[in-house]
Amino acid sequence: MIDAQNDTQTTGLSAYGARPALSGVAFARLVDWVDEIAALMQPDRVHWVSGSPDETAALLESMVAQGTLIRLNDEKRPNSFLARSTEDDVARLESRTFICSEREEDAGPTNNWRDPSEMRGTLAGLFRGSMRGRTLFVVPFSMGRTGGPLSHIGVQLTDSPYAVASMGVMTRVGDEVAQLIAEGAPWVRTVHSVGAPLAEGEADVVWPSNPDKHIVHFPDTLEVWSFGSGYGGNAILAKKCFALRIASVIGRDEGWLAEHMLLIRAVSPEGRAFHIAAAFPSACGKTNLAMLRPTLPGWRVETIGDDIAWIRPGEDGRLWAINPEAGFFGVAPGTGESTNAAAVEALRENVIFTNVALTPDGDVWWEGLTDETPERLIDWRGDDWTPDSGRPAAHPNSRFTVAASQSPTISPDWEDAVPLDAILFGGRRATNVPLVVEASSWEHGVFMGATISSERTAAAEGTVGELRRDPFAMMPFCGYNMADYFAHWIRVGARASRLPAVFQVNWFRKGDDGRFLWPGFGENARVIDWIARRVAGEAEAIETPVGRVPAAGSLDLDGLDVRDADLEELFRVDPASWLDEARLTEEFFDTFGDRVPAELREQLAALRERLETARG
Ligand code: OXD
Ligand code: MN
């Protein structure tokens, strides 16, 4: 193995990668760890990522030369690229994601637990020699502004240049972070290998990966080890693995919350700002809400984050939130001119697309990008495609990776913390759940979050459409026992004196004929408007057994063509089917045994009582 500075070939990417000239005990610990990992994984070369624009350009160019990236038509989509993964590496793999706490009960029934020492043995076998023939990249990263008060840093070691390029968009990487480590800032270790060592002289493939995939978290030592996948959340370890699973553990111990939430500032026609965090399961339109273009005159939405929020009680008794990420790793299908013009604008240049279709003139396309379908495409697998092919041109979980700052809706101070006025919990529910319901207390809000269920989407493996529990949209992302996590939410609430109001929303309710009852997208601003006016104490609500819904006339429907019957159905609370849900909730709670906080059991009992009364 050789260090980059000793590499004889000093053109292209190999002109970069020297270890930063830092010294001291803290930096030596990082160097020792890199040496230890390199000794195990046996890469040909070690490259320290500096984060400079020239290095990034050389990295992307090296991937084009290797075939991992296709450079798109520079006139249509400047400095943008398409990656195509293999069929077995297209989504997060929840069944291959493990939480290895010392005690099984600390991982809880919703996580795959493995004994940490057994898992370490398995990983040592898998990772031994796994980087042969490849470069080990050292990626120091910061979640949140580098050096910011709510930020946390980590280091990802990876043999995937695609992961390095993605990390460069999704986080702040490079020398400044290494400097903080040298100054003694605490940092988290994350290790990733695609698990495809190359024999001497063996040619590489376009998308190296390994059929045996493991995405492993050690919450007690705050480590992530990911093997075998090059895709998204399995490989960009700062995102789901660190900023949610590991950070949720750090938050539990330090008194804050790491959440699967978008973050927006909604500004009313009078210029009043409302900060809203919203949790939705994966692929339920988070990016669309994060970049909402309100149809209600005078309203404006500024994007702060589209996927993750770190929330901390402030000295003023409010909950303050940051978006720890620096980019969007958004689902492409369904993102279009008519549904999310701001996202389409954000994607005009400097984008890494993955598994979308390629147009004959070297641009990209996916279902929903335009109203008209192109006559001829190369699909995400690289095969010829026409509208008659009978299969989607883009993979349903195809993605774009783009800097947050490129969004036309980005807030001017998006890297700063904001005080929360409202928290929204959403899901994809064809039945039962009203368009919007307000919780009557923090505990009721926590109950709402804890009982979310949603139809499965393509963001992870599993049968699309199937209903599953996804409390706080954190089911796949909570690094510890979810019952303890519910209790942590209640505790954080008890410590804050000016809590945000909590709402449940559902844009996806359908009529008996299978039609969506609510137009969604920009019209969701009407719900945001009602929520903001509730927060300001200016909108009327009425009680239902499941919470408060808009009083007649208080949801602004001006200019919207929704049938009265549809509106009624959108807010209908059927006690019988809600009692069925309550039974399922009890079964769900029972899977955690007596760890479920008493407050949530009380909420369930009170809900049942209200439903029984309503049923008469
Ligand atoms: C994501 C997800 O990629 O939730 O954001 O799967
Ligand atoms: Mn997500």
Side-chain angles (χ1 to χ4, degrees):
M1 192 207 15
I2 48 178
D3 269 346
Q5 56 266 56
N6 302 326
D7 199 339
T8 46
Q9 222 198 343
T10 50
T11 52
L13 187 58
S14 50
Y16 304 89
R19 191 167 74 206
L22 294 164
S23 54
V25 183
F27 190 65
R29 263 200 295 273
L30 168 59
V31 174
D32 288 349
W33 177 63
V34 173
D35 287 347
E36 188 193 309
I37 297 293
L40 174 67
M41 300 182 195
Q42 300 161 29
D44 277 9
R45 188 168 175 271
V46 175
H47 176 125
W48 289 70
V49 172
S50 72
S52 77
D54 289 350
E55 177 194 47
T56 305
L59 178 76
L60 292 166
E61 203 44 64
S62 75
M63 281 190 276
V64 172
Q66 153 63 24
T68 300
L69 293 184
I70 297 168
R71 185 181 280 281
L72 298 174
N73 182 327
D74 215 47
E75 273 166 26
K76 298 195 166 280
R77 201 72 64 169
N79 193 37
S80 296
F81 303 86
L82 168 63
R84 292 191 189 123
S85 74
T86 47
E87 306 245 358
D88 69 337
D89 203 15
V90 291
R92 284 186 293 98
L93 291 169
E94 291 174 11
S95 59
R96 305 302 303 156
T97 298
F98 302 95
I99 300 293
C100 301
S101 44
E102 286 300 329
R103 296 184 316 180
E104 182 169 3
E105 64 264 33
D106 290 337
T110 60
N111 281 314
N112 291 321
W113 178 82
R114 291 286 185 282
D115 175 76
S117 47
E118 252 171 57
M119 181 56 93
R120 284 197 193 272
T122 305
L123 292 177
L126 290 171
F127 277 97
R128 186 163 299 118
S130 71
M131 294 190 181
R132 255 182 239 141
R134 300 192 181 278
T135 299
L136 161 56
F137 294 92
V138 182
V139 191
F141 64 87
S142 175
M143 299 307 281
R145 195 202 289 282
T146 307
L150 304 191
S151 302
H152 280 263
I153 61 183
V155 177
Q156 177 165 344
L157 305 185
T158 179
D159 56 5
S160 161
Y162 170 87
V164 176
S166 304
M167 287 283 291
V169 178
M170 298 303 298
T171 77
R172 293 91 174 156
V173 301
D175 287 346
E176 272 184 43
V177 184
Q179 175 73 43
L180 287 181
I181 291 174
E183 287 165 12
W187 52 282
V188 165
R189 293 161 153 82
T190 75
V191 185
H192 170 243
S193 172
V194 293
L198 293 165
E200 185 83 36
E202 184 185 340
D204 203 357
V205 292
V206 163
W207 187 270
S209 65
N210 189 304
D212 191 5
K213 298 176 174 42
H214 283 70
I215 299 102
V216 183
H217 306 74
F218 294 100
D220 299 298
T221 49
L222 308 180
E223 287 168 79
V224 181
W225 289 68
S226 171
F227 180 88
S229 168
Y231 200 84
N234 306 327
I236 307 169
L237 301 188
K239 191 172 175 64
K240 304 301 187 181
C241 300
F242 174 65
L244 289 177
R245 297 194 190 98
I246 294 293
S248 63
V249 173
I250 302 175
R252 175 197 63 191
D253 297 342
E254 293 182 356
W256 54 277
L257 300 162
E259 296 303 322
H260 191 204
M261 291 181 176
L262 65 87
L263 209 49
I264 54 175
R265 172 184 295 139
V267 184
S268 75
E270 302 78 36
R272 281 187 300 182
F274 298 88
H275 295 105
I276 300 173
F280 292 83
S282 308
C284 284
K286 273 169 83 178
T287 307
N288 288 341
L289 182 57
M291 297 186 185
L292 186 81
R293 287 234 163 125
T295 50
L296 275 186
W299 275 94
R300 182 176 91 240
V301 165
E302 294 175 7
T303 310
I304 299 172
D306 82 326
D307 195 42
I308 297 177
W310 285 353
I311 304 172
R312 213 180 258 267
E315 278 171 12
D316 59 356
R318 305 190 73 179
L319 295 186
W320 287 75
I322 61 162
N323 164 22
E325 301 192 276
F328 305 141
F329 179 63
V331 178
T335 306
E337 294 291 352
S338 52
T339 53
N340 191 342
V344 172
E345 208 180 311
L347 301 176
R348 66 194 176 275
E349 58 186 351
N350 310 319
V351 190
I352 302 171
F353 295 96
T354 306
N355 290 344
V356 299
L358 186 65
T359 65
D361 57 0
D363 198 6
V364 284
W365 193 83
W366 51 81
E367 280 70 18
L369 174 62
T370 52
D371 292 339
E372 274 193 18
T373 303
E375 278 170 17
R376 200 157 279 288
L377 293 165
I378 309 287
D379 73 7
W380 71 273
R381 293 183 181 86
D383 295 331
D384 285 335
W385 184 95
T386 68
D388 301 328
S389 295
R391 55 177 200 272
H395 187 278
N397 191 37
S398 54
R399 300 283 181 142
F400 52 79
T401 310
V402 68
S405 56
Q406 271 191 214
S407 173
T409 55
I410 199 76
S411 178
D413 51 352
W414 69 277
E415 294 182 280
D416 295 339
V418 294
L420 290 182
D421 297 294
I423 292 178
L424 275 48
F425 294 117
R428 190 180 278 273
R429 291 295 307 267
T431 58
N432 261 12
V433 178
L435 178 64
V436 56
V437 188
E438 184 186 351
S440 53
S441 65
W442 181 255
E443 285 75 17
H444 186 211
V446 174
F447 177 77
M448 277 179 176
T451 53
I452 287 180
S453 55
S454 188
E455 292 153 26
R456 255 182 207 284
T457 67
E461 82 272 35
T463 311
V464 171
E466 200 177 71
L467 204 61
R468 74 153 177 180
R469 291 277 160 183
D470 195 352
F472 292 80
M474 280 288 279
M475 185 80 135
F477 306 123
C478 185
Y480 61 102
N481 189 314
M482 277 211 103
D484 297 351
Y485 165 90
F486 301 156
H488 181 55
W489 262 80
I490 292 187
R491 264 198 311 273
V492 168
R495 273 196 227 119
S497 54
R498 289 172 63 197
L499 284 165
V502 181
F503 299 82
Q504 180 170 21
V505 296
N506 176 27
W507 322 132
F508 301 97
R509 193 152 175 178
K510 290 181 177 171
D512 289 341
D513 51 3
R515 238 174 353 106
F516 284 113
L517 296 171
W518 179 249
F521 303 106
E523 303 295 3
N524 291 337
R526 297 173 187 275
V527 176
I528 300 294
D529 164 75
W530 184 75
I531 287 171
R533 285 186 291 115
R534 281 298 294 165
V535 167
E538 293 165 8
E540 294 289 312
I542 52 165
E543 298 285 350
T544 77
V546 298
R548 299 172 184 149
V549 300
S554 79
L555 185 66
D556 187 342
L557 297 171
D558 206 27
L560 187 68
D561 198 14
V562 186
R563 295 182 220 160
D564 286 351
D566 285 358
L567 204 59
E568 205 168 297
E569 182 61 18
L570 268 170
F571 285 103
R572 194 164 66 88
V573 174
D574 174 35
S577 43
W578 269 94
L579 280 163
D580 283 346
E581 292 230 357
R583 185 176 44 77
L584 296 176
T585 296
E586 179 167 19
E587 281 172 19
F588 176 62
F589 280 177
D590 286 347
T591 61
F592 298 97
D594 57 12
R595 273 174 109 123
V596 175
E599 290 87 343
L600 295 193
R601 295 275 187 194
E602 282 158 22
Q603 285 293 329
L604 178 59
L607 171 67
R608 277 183 156 147
E609 238 178 78
R610 295 193 300 268
L611 290 166
E612 296 286 6
T613 310
R615 190 167 61 170

